[in-house]
Amino acid sequence: MSVSRAARVAALLALLLVSGPAAATDRLVVTWHPARPRVGDVAWVHVRGASDAAAIEGSVANRPLTFFPYAGGHAALVGVDIDTKPGPHPWRLAILEPGLEPRPVAGKVVIAPRAFPVQRLTLPPGMVDLEPETERRVVAESERLQMLYRTVSPERLWRGAFTRPVGGTEPPSGFGARRVINGKPRAAHGGADYSVPRGTPVVAANAGRVALVADYFFPGRLVAVDHGLGLYTLYFHLDSVAVAEGDRVDRGQPLGTVGATGRATGPHLHFGAQIGSARIDPAVLLALRLND
């Protein structure tokens, strides 16, 4: 949202304030799915009652939303980061109808708490207590990833259900874990780990565009897929890569194979998902159901 438009919408928000998981004004209906998302969840908000020509802008707790046409209305995915504080969080929308003043709608969604495990790991000191040159590399690589997550492609590339990135039925582990490495607390684990053998094929969870292929210190050999509208999936610690930046991929298309590159205690796939800067539970993304 531009600064001028944001200021105009903010000024108009005082005209109307509605609360709860579903809100209605005139014929406009705003519904949350689920009504009470948890920390780390991916939720979605559905707006019905605006005209087909309307555009919708908005945010949740100051995180921007990107809407797309859906089921006779408009929908947007909402990422609830793993460090989000449980409790009520404000949401704001502006319904932009051609030739009319923006119509503001606002309310609050309650974020439910969620307990995460504590993982205690022992790693070689060189992978934890970094030399200055390595520290600078790690910071630069992290900044590149954060810049990528802030890039919102205007086209929705994904459709239908998301699929597991590796075969099998065993659930992944470790999402949101509060990690203690060599006795020192570290940042929460932002992905889910699949413990599968080296060389296991890794596939795209849904259709998208390969936004990044790189070899970074912590993630190792990696692929990031842009699914459009701010949604990314991440595939870390790969042994080999079968795609190049800019490639369009379909759901289930091979991206590479499982390895143990980067900071890894053994072969496994770190599977991550981001909506903007929000780190979300990939297992919840796999369970997402929007009937396209």
Side-chain angles (χ1 to χ4, degrees):
M1 189 185 300
S2 67
V3 174
S4 59
R5 179 170 287 175
R8 181 175 58 175
V9 171
L12 288 169
L13 287 175
L15 299 176
L16 178 64
L17 178 65
V18 290
S19 299
T25 174
D26 297 331
R27 58 191 177 88
L28 194 73
V29 178
V30 180
T31 309
W32 281 81
H33 306 271
R36 198 166 183 258
R38 303 173 304 162
V39 171
D41 275 359
V42 52
W44 58 284
V45 59
H46 194 192
V47 180
R48 289 168 293 166
S51 73
D52 291 342
I56 301 180
E57 297 176 347
S59 65
V60 178
N62 296 320
R63 293 180 184 271
L65 299 176
T66 305
F67 283 86
F68 55 89
Y70 178 74
H74 301 76
L77 297 184
V78 181
V80 184
D81 185 74
I82 52 179
D83 286 336
T84 299
K85 183 179 178 180
H89 289 260
W91 56 263
R92 295 177 175 83
L93 304 179
I95 315 302
L96 309 175
E97 301 270 7
L100 300 176
E101 285 295 314
R103 185 159 38 139
V105 186
K108 292 182 179 179
V109 59
V110 176
I111 303 301
R114 181 176 176 184
F116 292 109
V118 175
Q119 287 184 338
R120 301 183 184 276
L121 303 174
T122 300
L123 295 174
M127 297 296 288
V128 180
D129 301 317
L130 306 180
E131 297 178 353
E133 183 177 350
T134 303
E135 181 72 30
R136 287 191 290 271
R137 173 189 171 185
V138 167
V139 170
E141 291 170 351
S142 177
E143 289 175 349
R144 290 188 202 110
L145 286 173
Q146 294 305 315
M147 185 179 299
L148 176 68
Y149 305 150
R150 290 193 294 270
T151 303
V152 179
S153 300
E155 181 185 3
R156 180 189 172 203
L157 303 177
W158 62 275
R159 288 292 187 279
F162 286 73
T163 191
R164 283 173 59 100
V166 292
T169 59
E170 288 296 318
S173 63
F175 174 76
R178 274 43 185 173
R179 289 188 155 178
V180 179
I181 301 177
N182 294 359
K184 297 179 181 179
R186 300 288 173 170
H189 188 230
D193 292 337
Y194 288 89
S195 296
V196 291
R198 186 190 305 271
T200 300
V202 176
V203 303
N206 210 312
R209 178 184 60 84
V210 177
L212 179 66
V213 174
D215 196 341
Y216 285 174
F217 184 80
F218 283 144
R221 199 164 289 121
L222 68 91
V223 171
V225 176
D226 177 6
H227 300 285
L229 307 182
L231 173 63
Y232 290 83
T233 53
L234 314 168
Y235 311 80
F236 290 176
H237 308 303
L238 299 177
D239 189 60
S240 65
V241 172
V243 291
E245 290 183 11
D247 286 354
R248 290 291 292 263
V249 294
D250 295 324
R251 178 175 50 240
Q253 181 173 330
L255 301 176
T257 58
V258 169
T261 55
R263 188 168 75 177
T265 56
H268 72 283
L269 174 68
H270 170 109
F271 177 46
Q274 297 265 160
I275 298 179
S277 61
R279 299 159 293 176
I280 58 173
D281 188 345
V284 178
L285 181 65
L286 297 185
L288 181 69
R289 294 293 181 267
L290 274 75
N291 297 319
D292 288 291

